[in-house]
Amino acid sequence: MSYKFTLPLYGVTKKGAIAMNWYRNAHHQSSNAAKKKFKKLIQEQLDQFDTIQTPIKIKYTYYAQRNNSPDLDNFVAVVRKFFQDALVESGLIEDDNVNFIIANSESYGGIDKENPRVEAEIIEIS
């Protein structure tokens, strides 16, 4: 079985996208507040499911706001961290270590000026 989520890049912080450059420089209180807001923004999607059978793989696809040759991992890394923590905090998976999430992959989906985002597809491994 697979599960799909649309994850925000913007509207989580006061300073633009939740990218690695922001995360690296953010005070721990700011990053914690952003993580809470991120979870709140995706809570409705999380609430659609009771539990996800592990182990799982997660595929992340990044859609950029503009064509400025973005660094893929700069945008996906923080979203990945916040998302996987939200999965645990919501009780959908027990933990986000390698016993439960055995693989992550990321790809570039192109430009979407109206809706820059990261899409996550969770795939249960049977």
Side-chain angles (χ1 to χ4, degrees), residues 41-90:
L41 290 170
I42 66 166
Q43 191 64 55
E44 196 172 295
Q45 294 178 75
L46 297 168
D47 289 344
Q48 294 180 49
F49 309 105
D50 293 326
T51 187
I52 295 172
Q53 297 300 311
T54 55
I56 59 175
K57 295 190 295 187
I58 307 177
K59 294 180 181 179
Y60 294 94
T61 305
Y62 166 62
Y63 294 87
Q65 186 175 44
R66 58 188 177 275
N67 186 13
N68 59 346
S69 302
D71 178 344
L72 182 64
D73 198 48
N74 186 36
F75 287 94
V76 177
V78 179
V79 170
R80 180 176 57 232
K81 173 69 176 150
F82 285 3
F83 178 60
Q84 291 176 191
D85 287 350
L87 291 173
V88 174
E89 292 168 11
S90 296

Side-chain angles (χ1 to χ4, degrees), residues 1-5 49 51-53 120-124:
M1 184 161 199
S2 72
Y3 308 84
K4 294 189 178 189
F5 295 84
F49 309 105
T51 187
I52 295 172
Q53 297 300 311
E121 180 182 10
I122 296 175
I123 302 157
E124 293 178 342

